[in-house]
Every structure is written in structure tokens, then in C-alpha cells.
Amino acid sequence: MVMPDSAAGHPRMPLAVYILGLSVFALGTSEFMLSGLLPPIAEDMGVSIPQAGLLISAFAIGMVVGAPLLAVATLRLPRRTTLVALIAVFGLGQVAGALAPSYEVLFVSRVVSALACAGFWAVGAAVAVAMVPLNMRARAMAVMIGGLSIANVMGVPLGALLGESLGWRSAFWAVGVASAVALVGVVTRIPRIPLPAEKPSLRSETAIYRDKQVWLAIVVTALAAGGVFCTFSYLAPLLTDVAGLESGWVPWVLALFGVGALVGTAVGGRVADAHLFGVLLTGIAGSTVFLVAMALFASHPVVLVALAFLLGLSCFFTAPALNARMFNVAGAAPTLAGATTTAAFNLGNTSGPWLGGTVIDADFGYAATAWAGAAMLLVALGVLGVALRLRRSAGGDGTAVPAQRSRTVARSEPAKPVPGPLTGEPAVLPTGSDDRVGPACS
């Protein structure tokens, strides 16, 4: 399904992967836009800002539960049909949120939307990774994550602007429209993918959870996401109440965070395939430093705005590597690998805002959320060090296999067929790969 690029001699990214990335734009806008809408939602619903922040956690909880649940439930269903159904339910969830008469109804609508979002991510990630060679996994995931980056550059700030001028409900209506556009794209551009000749086995897929590297990857992903979103979820009040900026600045700072995210995704996606652990260590360490600086200079608006950009860059620089790492260690179960990554990210998106809200409720102030986030990232670095040590003791370096090395090994060693994740047809991979798809992944 990957067409060669005759000019560069390298395979092209399938169009369907870009369509998935565009669909993720709508999902990401809904997931993150509440960071700029918490004050008006809290005022309209008669709740505190930390209580309104629980709406972010509600979405994340739905993602945590929904990713593995829907991955299992749809394991034997046609991929395109599943994607169409999930994006449709997601759009209806946005309409329900826009019409919500109470905080409780809004809370439920966020959970339902998150369930559909999680399923789309899990299935979409598995489809994207399966359509590209092993050494393009991080780039494929970078395209999908690029949808999140664009959501942060455009969708989230526009949502905040709509909330400021037309009320927070208008932002939900806008995401509903974007979801309808995404639905059209999926229906018209995602190809029909045949079911595997041999139906996937739930027992064989869940066997990945016996691998300790899978659990280490889950913990690192959750902590990396949680550390950043512990602070990002309360960025609006941090900017206005601590740095003293007018509320009109919030959308622009969110956009700046998104620009950093877009740059980080583009660079991280290209570097991670060859230097996976290097990207992980550099990105998480950078986010830790930037959060500490935000805590120290929270009352300095110029510094805080600059740090928002850098935090977006470092956070999303790491994201493609976190995704690729999970597919490398759980490649024998591509659908559950995507679901597990989604759940892990949203464990962080749940625990981070919860920890930030707890810190605020304890009267430590909004700036203290940055200290709490930095602490989570320090733990992530420690767990990542354990994973790297185990990887090296097993004789690997934790990186994906470069294309040139794959071709060399394939000529010198016998090929080993494994089931193709989408079609069920044999996919020939070199037996010497460090992170090949198959049960032997560490």
C-alpha cells in the first residue's frame, strides 16, 4: 500500500494516514480546548475552576477505559466501518455538550465523546502503522499526532476565541462541524480494508501484557503526559491570575503552545525512528526543565509565554517516540498496542489535571502545578532509565531498524514470515531486527 517515491528512492506516506491525521484534528480540538474555556464554563455551570478541570479528567478517563474496551469489541469488525461509526458518535457527543443544561450532563457528554475518541485513536493508529514499513512507524504516528498539533495551533485557540466572544457552547458546536467534515473524509478516502484471513485472537493479543517492557512503556507514557498536562490544564488561570495577563491573551498563548507542538512533532517524528531512546530522554528532560522554570517565573508574563512555546515543543517532540516505542514492544498485537498507548497517554491526562487541581485546592497556587508536573516527569525519567537498562541487557538499543540495515540483514539472514496486521497475509521481516513485529519483541 506504500508507493515508492521515484525521485527520492524512499516510500511515500499513504494518503489515508494524512486523512487520519486530519480527523484527529477534530478529536484533539475537543480534547484540549477546555484548557482555554475553564473560567467561563465554571461561571456558567456554578462550579469552581478545579471542578471544571475535572471535565478534562472525565474525557481522559473515557479515553483510558474506551481505548482497550473498544479495541477488543471491534477487533473482528471492518476497520473503515469502525472508524466511520466512532467519528459519528464523537460528533454527536459534541452536540450533546453544546446543549448540556447542567454540569452533570456536560460531564457525561465528555465521557461518551472520549469513548468514541479513544476507539478512533486505537483503530486509526493500528491502521496507520500497518500501512508503512517498520522504519517509518514514528513518522506515521507523527502525521496523526500532527493533527493534535494543528488542533493546538488552530483549534484550541479558536475555541478559546469563540468562548470569549460567543460563549463556550459555540466552541462545542464548532467541533461538531469539524467532526462532520472528518466523517466525510473517512468515508470517501479511507480504503476498505479486508478482514484478516485468520481472525484475530483476543488471547494472543492480550499476551503482550506479560512483557515487562510493555508495562514500563505504559508508565513512562502516562507520567510524561501527566506531567505536562498537570500544568497545561490550568494554563489559562496561570496566565491571568498569576502572570497578570488579560484574558484575551489566552488564545494566543495556547496557539504558541500549539506552534511549539507542531515543530516538536515534525522534528521528533523524523528523528525518533533512528534515535528512539535519545528522543525520549531529551524530550522528557526538556519538559522537566521548562516546568521548573514556569514555577520559578510564573509571575513574569514574557518568560511564561516563551516557556509555553518551549513546553509544547518538548512535549510533542517526545510523543511520536512514545507511540513508536509501544508498537515496537507490542507489535504482535497492533490494535491493542494502539489502544494501550491511547490509554497510557490518557492515564496521564487524567492524573495530571487531578494532581494539579489537588495542589490548587490545597492553596499552593496555580504556579505549584508546574512543580507537581516536574515531579511526575522526574519519575518518568527514572522509569525510562530502567527500560533502557533492560533493553541494553537484552542486546538491543531501543531504536527502530533503519531501512538500510533492514535490507542488509534480509540479504544475509533467512526471512521470517509473520501475519500482516491488516490483511492477514504474510509480511516478511528480517529475523535480525531489534524491534520487529512478532512475539519475540522484548
Side-chain angles (χ1 to χ4, degrees):
M1 297 182 69
V2 179
M3 301 298 294
D5 187 336
S6 56
H10 297 293
R12 290 175 179 167
M13 192 68 65
L15 175 61
V17 176
Y18 291 103
I19 296 301
L20 291 171
L22 290 175
S23 302
V24 167
F25 168 78
L27 307 180
T29 298
S30 179
E31 182 173 4
F32 299 128
M33 71 181 181
L34 261 63
S35 297
L37 299 174
L38 289 185
I41 289 177
E43 182 180 357
D44 188 35
M45 292 295 182
V47 297
S48 67
I49 286 182
Q51 280 180 296
L54 290 177
L55 293 170
I56 299 174
S57 294
F59 197 97
I61 290 170
M63 294 280 284
V64 171
V65 175
L69 181 64
L70 288 171
V72 170
T74 63
L75 195 58
R76 300 188 179 187
L77 297 179
R79 301 292 85 186
R80 192 180 78 159
T81 301
T82 301
L83 291 174
V84 168
L86 291 171
I87 194 67
V89 171
F90 175 81
L92 292 174
Q94 304 311 299
V95 174
L99 297 173
S102 66
Y103 175 81
E104 291 75 17
V105 174
L106 181 58
F107 191 96
V108 172
S109 75
R110 294 296 289 171
V111 174
V112 172
S113 297
L115 290 172
C117 180
F120 192 96
W121 258 110
V123 176
V127 170
V129 168
M131 287 191 296
V132 299
L134 185 66
N135 63 300
M136 288 180 64
R137 282 176 169 175
R139 286 179 61 191
M141 291 311 305
V143 171
M144 287 193 68
I145 296 168
L148 289 182
S149 302
I150 296 172
N152 279 285
V153 173
M154 296 175 56
V156 175
L158 286 175
L161 284 172
L162 284 173
E164 184 78 18
S165 57
L166 300 176
W168 64 268
R169 295 177 189 272
S170 63
F172 280 79
W173 283 115
V175 176
V177 172
S179 301
V181 174
L183 175 61
V184 172
V186 172
V187 170
T188 59
R189 296 299 180 184
I190 300 297
R192 290 186 178 274
I193 300 170
L195 290 173
E198 181 180 348
K199 292 185 177 180
S201 165
L202 178 60
R203 182 177 181 180
S204 62
E205 290 243 342
T206 55
I208 64 171
Y209 297 121
R210 294 198 294 264
D211 189 340
K212 56 190 172 184
Q213 283 284 14
V214 169
W215 289 104
L216 289 172
I218 290 172
V219 173
V220 170
T221 301
L223 289 171
V228 172
F229 282 91
C230 180
T231 304
F232 179 78
S233 299
Y234 301 97
L235 186 58
L238 182 62
L239 290 167
T240 56
D241 292 13
V242 180
L245 292 172
E246 296 292 331
S247 59
W249 279 94
V250 172
W252 300 106
V253 179
L254 292 175
L256 194 60
F257 178 93
V259 171
L262 192 59
V263 174
T265 300
V267 176
R270 289 194 170 274
V271 177
D273 281 313
H275 306 285
L276 193 144
F277 269 97
V279 168
L280 291 175
L281 290 167
T282 303
I284 295 174
S287 294
T288 305
V289 171
F290 299 144
L291 283 175
V292 170
M294 290 180 85
L296 294 173
F297 299 101
S299 60
H300 297 74
V302 175
V303 178
L304 189 61
V305 169
L307 288 170
F309 167 80
L310 293 173
L311 185 63
L313 190 153
S314 62
C315 173
F316 281 80
F317 174 75
T318 313
L322 291 169
N323 278 275
R325 174 62 179 160
M326 183 65 73
F327 279 99
N328 286 353
V329 299
T335 302
L336 272 185
T340 301
T341 306
T342 301
F345 269 110
N346 286 280
L347 279 172
N349 291 352
T350 303
S351 59
W354 171 83
L355 179 60
T358 301
V359 167
I360 294 168
D361 284 337
D363 294 327
F364 287 107
Y366 292 114
T369 61
W371 287 117
M376 293 182 75
L377 291 176
L378 285 174
V379 177
L381 285 172
V383 176
L384 185 60
V386 173
L388 180 56
R389 177 175 296 181
L390 288 175
R391 185 66 189 173
R392 286 174 172 170
S393 67
D397 59 5
T399 62
V401 184
Q404 181 61 42
R405 179 181 172 186
S406 296
R407 288 192 293 269
T408 303
V409 174
R411 287 195 298 265
S412 60
E413 300 184 26
K416 177 181 179 181
V418 296
L422 290 181
T423 63
E425 298 174 358
V428 179
L429 299 174
T431 57
S433 300
D434 287 338
D435 278 309
R436 61 187 179 277
V437 177
C441 285
S442 63

